[in-house]
Amino acid sequence: MTAPGDGPPRRADEASPLQQIRDALGSLSGATRRVADTILSSPAEAGRSSITVLAARAEASAATVTRLAALLGYSGYPALRAAIATEYGRGVQGGWERDIGSVINPADPPEQVLTVLASAQSRALRNAMGSIDLAAAAQVADRMATASRIHVFGEWGDAIPARELTIRLLRIGRPTWFHEGRQASQVATSLMHRGDVALAVDRSGNDPVAQDFLARAAARGAFTAVITGTPDSATAARAEAVLFTGARENSTWTDHFAGRSSDTLMASLLWVLVAQRTPEALAEAFVSLHGPAPEPDR
């Protein structure tokens, strides 16, 4: 392979100019190295700077900038600058779409962002309405209503609906514990026995800790269930009851955020179904919080 100092290197049509510069750093020195470092330190600025501005920032001459472009195989600085601008823009957009999603753009006003998020959540809830297995939900609620102990597991974002469900169940007198992390979940499962319920929330369906939690709980005789966006996942295979929320796991945050709405809906459904099966506990909880209801006027 031709070294940068020996003439223009061979490069693919879609070669990244920023990666070319990184690869060439070891062979550069002096003013040429300063120009390269300046470009890498702020590719967005380099992609819109004139040759004189870039040279001034690098404390080099315009001829040095041109020499670097030639070493990298470009016809001149304008061609290098265009390649840098294209590459940087592609990277920013790709990162945005990978993490946020393509339905929201970086320049969208707040009202547009709110509209998109609300629409995504609304769509997720409609999907949940058509996908939730009510018989499975009722089965899990039946178990929870009579369980000796209820253990709920969830990590990171999965912990949000899991904690909410735990708090609501405690409010109506159900003996419920929330767990996250491998060590805590293993301690919890070591104390389980037949008559307990172990419920995991695992939207992605690929959390090995959730899978271990359900496997250990099942080995101790507990009834196992999972709330998930991936019903054909490894975690789902570990559970006796799979509560698919209707919003499948996706890599973008927009879809993941929408899926959380369906997770919360499922957790809320379980809580209300349990409350229906233990109305006396709900009444006792109300009295403990608000006092007895006033006697009606006679």
Side-chain angles (χ1 to χ4, degrees):
M1 181 176 178
T2 306
D6 298 330
R10 297 180 61 189
R11 58 187 176 87
D13 291 340
E14 297 298 325
S16 164
L18 299 177
Q19 188 58 51
Q20 284 181 282
I21 295 173
R22 295 187 190 98
D23 293 340
L25 282 178
S27 63
L28 302 178
S29 61
T32 309
R33 174 62 184 259
R34 291 200 302 274
V35 173
D37 287 337
T38 300
I39 292 173
L40 292 176
S41 68
S42 183
E45 185 69 22
R48 58 176 177 263
S49 295
S50 67
I51 190 170
T52 55
V53 169
L54 177 60
R57 289 180 58 224
E59 299 181 353
S61 66
T64 302
V65 177
T66 300
R67 184 162 56 251
L68 175 62
L71 287 173
L72 296 172
Y74 293 91
S75 59
Y77 175 66
L80 174 59
R81 180 179 62 184
I84 291 171
T86 300
E87 176 69 14
Y88 182 76
R90 183 185 299 122
V92 170
Q93 184 62 26
W96 177 275
E97 292 185 1
R98 181 180 64 251
D99 294 337
I100 304 297
S102 60
V103 293
I104 300 177
N105 296 309
D108 285 346
E111 57 269 23
Q112 175 65 15
V113 174
L114 177 59
T115 297
V116 170
L117 292 178
S119 297
Q121 289 204 30
S122 177
R123 182 172 60 254
L125 293 176
R126 288 197 303 271
N127 290 341
M129 291 288 290
S131 302
I132 290 177
D133 185 340
L134 295 177
Q139 178 192 21
V140 176
D142 287 339
R143 295 283 190 146
M144 286 182 164
T146 59
S148 301
R149 293 175 296 185
I150 302 169
H151 299 271
V152 183
F153 174 86
E155 294 190 295
W156 298 95
D158 293 323
I160 297 172
R163 282 186 180 275
E164 173 74 12
L165 178 58
T166 300
I167 293 169
R168 294 297 177 184
L169 289 171
L170 284 171
R171 186 178 178 186
I172 58 173
R174 293 279 73 219
T176 309
W177 287 264
F178 170 78
H179 311 286
E180 60 181 334
R182 184 178 296 277
Q183 184 175 16
S185 66
Q186 288 182 354
V187 171
T189 52
S190 70
L191 300 174
M192 291 184 194
H193 54 73
R194 190 171 302 279
D196 289 351
V197 170
L199 170 71
V201 181
D202 184 10
R203 160 141 292 279
S204 68
N206 60 15
D207 182 359
V209 182
Q211 294 163 25
D212 181 69
F213 170 76
L214 292 173
R216 288 173 179 269
R220 297 286 297 180
F223 176 80
T224 57
V226 62
I227 295 175
T228 184
T230 315
D232 49 358
S233 64
T235 303
R238 299 282 190 179
E240 294 179 62
V242 177
L243 303 177
F244 173 45
T245 63
R248 284 190 171 269
E249 173 69 355
N250 196 292
S251 59
T252 65
W253 180 85
T254 308
D255 290 334
H256 191 83
F257 179 72
R260 284 286 171 235
S261 299
S262 57
D263 295 344
T264 301
L265 176 64
M266 177 64 79
S268 300
L269 173 63
L270 281 180
W271 177 72
V272 175
L273 292 178
V274 174
Q276 285 181 328
R277 287 156 174 74
T278 56
E280 68 289 345
L282 187 60
E284 290 175 6
F286 181 88
V287 171
S288 66
L289 288 172
H290 305 286
E295 292 290 333
D297 294 334
R298 297 185 182 277

